[in-house]
Amino acid sequence: MGKLQEFEIALDKNKVVYSPGESISGTVTIKVNQALPCKAIKVNCNGFCGITNKVNDTAWTMEEQYFNSTVSVADKGTLKQGEHTFPFKFLIPASAPTSFEGNYGRIIYRVRAFIDTPRFAKDYNKETAFYLLSPLNLNEVPDIWGTCSSAVTQQFTYMLVKTGTVVLKAQTDMKGYTPGQIIQVTANIHNQSGKSTGNMAASLMQRVTYETKRPTYDMRTIAEVEGGVVKAAKEVQWKEQIIVPPLPQSSLAGCELIKIEYYVKVSLKSPDVMLTLPIHIGNVSLDKKLHHSKKAAPPSSAAPEDTPASASTSVPDASTSATTPTTTPRTAPKPAPRPAPRPRMSSHSSPSAPPAEYHHGAEGGTPMNDGFPNKRQSQLVSPNAFSYAPGLFFSQNQQHSGPGTAPTGPTFSGSTGAPSPYAPENGSSSAPSPLILPPDYGASSYPQEAPPSYDESCNT
């Protein structure tokens, strides 16, 4: 080396991995065997990304710089014979991305030292690399919880004229992993053909995109496991495990030239059926406790939003009285409102609601009162034991429990909630008709005896 015997850069504590926002410090050691004139001694720290279209080429077609700092540790003068040490210190920006080395690009961080000598003399330089790790916390990745699943249906031809179908479904137990964790892969293959399939396989794939003018894609198989075949007209469930090796993280936050993606590929060798399950590779593993706390948080935040809605429904409004259930009587049927307590019904149909006197436990027809053993049976089985004529109605002080019981209060119209009178039929006057009471089934011994006829009930 001539006059220069030693020229080294040493980082404090021999540290080589740093984090964004951290400071990097060290010393530059120069040892000369005779006096060495120099214009300046400088130390530079920089980080950048370079990409290219050729494999392992360092003639970058595109570059992206993250920081570039230079300090002068010695001014113009002469280095005397012996050993000289110069300390330095730099601050790494918090936005700097993680280090990366690929076939078509790199993210590089380095410290360089320069000895500028006078004109026509040889300049000296030295550099050392360090690595930056910006941890990816998988718990902060959007939509990371749960399993990742997919399905595909593939038709194929075999034996020249025959066709078949293969249905492939697969899922992973999680969406994010860290190096050292195990990916649980579950696949379901339904062979709906007369031919056995090829071997099934599951692979952990890495896809790196280099954003040049024409993007370059670098596909790489990280790990692969293989299973058996699926015989004709059979359905098989296949479970396998893939161990995640040390890998760069999925997201290079702060880098716009390199994108890294990972996915699990599940495939059959024959026929050519394949599906992919995207996953994330990070540095901080998923914590299920955080997932449960996030799931419990939304109800408390949503409660205030529901309060105004519930409060608004407690105030009656004329515009909503027709659609919101209230304590007011049911409105009369619009097409043909009649004062009759119950509409004409078929003997084979049952009421749409139980009577008012109905109690729990009476489903089997057990008498609810010893004095009226057949009351419920007469209401449910024979609701039309007698006919009704237009204008027929019952007095308000008599209780009826059928589904068509006349309302005890005024009927409200459907649009405004205002009371509306019953419309007379065929234009007849609204004079009240004579009261015709229904037969008293409580006093009869039905079903041992037939109930009185309509004429008999009218003559009583």
Side-chain angles (χ1 to χ4, degrees):
M1 265 183 101
K3 298 180 180 179
L4 191 63
Q5 289 183 325
E6 183 181 348
F7 189 15
E8 297 292 339
I9 300 175
L11 301 179
D12 288 348
K13 301 179 181 180
N14 294 323
K15 189 176 180 179
V16 293
V17 180
Y18 294 84
S19 300
E22 193 176 355
S23 61
I24 178 172
S25 59
T27 57
V28 175
T29 302
I30 302 174
K31 185 177 181 180
V32 293
N33 55 11
Q34 55 181 303
L36 177 65
C38 62
K39 296 169 58 177
I41 300 175
K42 299 179 180 179
V43 181
N44 171 265
C45 181
N46 71 341
F48 70 98
C49 173
I51 59 176
T52 181
N53 292 323
K54 298 179 181 180
V55 177
N56 298 326
D57 186 14
T58 56
W60 311 119
T61 57
M62 294 187 68
E63 289 189 27
E64 183 179 63
Q65 185 168 275
Y66 307 118
F67 63 92
N68 187 13
S69 302
T70 303
V71 294
S72 179
V73 294
D75 294 331
K76 183 177 181 181
T78 301
L79 288 176
K80 296 181 180 180
Q81 182 180 358
E83 183 175 313
H84 305 270
T85 301
F86 304 94
F88 64 86
K89 187 175 184 179
F90 298 96
L91 181 64
I92 303 172
S95 59
T98 299
S99 300
F100 176 78
E101 291 187 6
N103 292 330
Y104 298 90
R106 299 178 187 177
I107 297 177
I108 300 173
Y109 297 97
R110 57 188 179 179
V111 175
R112 297 182 296 172
F114 305 92
I115 302 177
D116 292 340
T117 57
R119 188 176 182 183
F120 304 119
K122 180 181 179 181
D123 292 335
Y124 302 94
N125 62 78
K126 187 74 173 181
E127 74 174 50
T128 185
F130 66 94
Y131 301 93
L132 204 64
L133 175 61
S134 177
L136 174 61
N137 188 345
L138 293 176
N139 298 282
E140 299 175 356
V141 177
D143 193 26
I144 193 65
W145 300 103
T147 62
C148 183
S149 60
S150 182
V152 62
T153 301
Q154 181 71 40
Q155 291 185 343
F156 65 99
T157 303
Y158 62 98
M159 296 179 66
L160 299 179
V161 294
K162 294 185 178 181
T163 59
T165 303
V166 171
V167 180
L168 173 61
K169 300 178 182 179
Q171 74 171 21
T172 57
D173 59 326
M174 296 189 297
K175 296 182 181 179
Y177 302 88
T178 56
Q181 288 188 326
I182 297 176
I183 304 174
Q184 303 282 352
V185 182
T186 303
N188 187 281
I189 304 98
H190 190 187
N191 184 7
Q192 302 173 2
S193 71
K195 178 185 177 181
S196 298
T197 69
N199 293 339
M200 60 189 81
S203 308
L204 175 59
M205 306 294 296
Q206 181 193 65
R207 176 181 176 179
V208 184
T209 304
Y210 300 91
E211 299 290 348
T212 54
K213 292 182 179 180
R214 297 182 62 182
T216 303
Y217 302 98
D218 187 15
M219 306 290 295
R220 179 184 168 200
T221 301
I222 305 298
E224 183 176 21
V225 291
E226 191 171 293
V229 301
V230 181
K231 294 184 178 181
K234 296 293 183 180
E235 184 173 3
V236 174
Q237 186 181 64
W238 179 53
K239 294 184 177 181
E240 194 50 86
Q241 298 178 343
I242 300 176
I243 300 178
V244 181
L247 292 170
Q249 62 194 39
S250 296
S251 175
L252 294 177
C255 178
E256 300 296 331
L257 298 182
I258 301 176
K259 307 295 181 185
I260 305 177
E261 300 170 289
Y262 293 96
Y263 60 89
V264 175
K265 180 179 74 173
V266 182
S267 61
L268 292 174
K269 299 297 176 74
S270 174
D272 189 11
V273 183
M274 180 193 69
L275 58 80
T276 58
L277 305 171
I279 61 172
H280 295 270
I281 302 296
N283 310 101
V284 181
S285 60
L286 292 173
D287 188 351
K288 294 183 178 180
K289 295 180 181 179
L290 297 178
H291 178 44
H292 294 315
S293 63
K294 290 181 180 179
K295 290 178 65 177
S300 60
S301 61
E305 299 177 1
D306 297 337
T307 304
S310 59
S312 62
T313 56
S314 62
V315 180
D317 188 274
S319 60
T320 59
S321 60
T323 58
T324 304
T326 61
T327 56
T328 59
R330 290 187 303 172
T331 60
K334 254 188 171 182
R338 295 183 180 182
R342 288 182 295 183
R344 177 180 291 271
M345 300 175 61
S346 170
S347 60
H348 300 287
S349 61
S350 59
S352 59
E357 292 85 1
Y358 172 72
H359 298 284
H360 182 70
E363 292 85 351
T366 304
M368 293 180 290
N369 192 319
D370 295 335
F372 303 96
N374 300 313
K375 183 174 183 181
R376 178 173 178 268
Q377 187 176 9
S378 65
Q379 291 175 341
L380 295 179
V381 177
S382 302
N384 61 337
F386 55 91
S387 302
Y388 296 101
L392 180 65
F393 64 96
F394 303 129
S395 60
Q396 299 294 333
N397 58 359
Q398 186 173 357
Q399 295 182 358
H400 298 284
S401 58
T405 305
T408 58
T411 304
F412 292 86
S413 64
S415 59
T416 62
S420 60
Y422 290 112
E425 187 171 346
N426 298 329
S428 59
S429 63
S430 59
S433 303
L435 298 179
I436 302 177
L437 300 178
D440 186 5
Y441 294 124
S444 65
S445 57
Y446 182 81
Q448 287 78 14
E449 295 180 4
S453 65
Y454 178 74
D455 294 334
E456 291 175 350
S457 64
C458 292
N459 294 331
T460 56

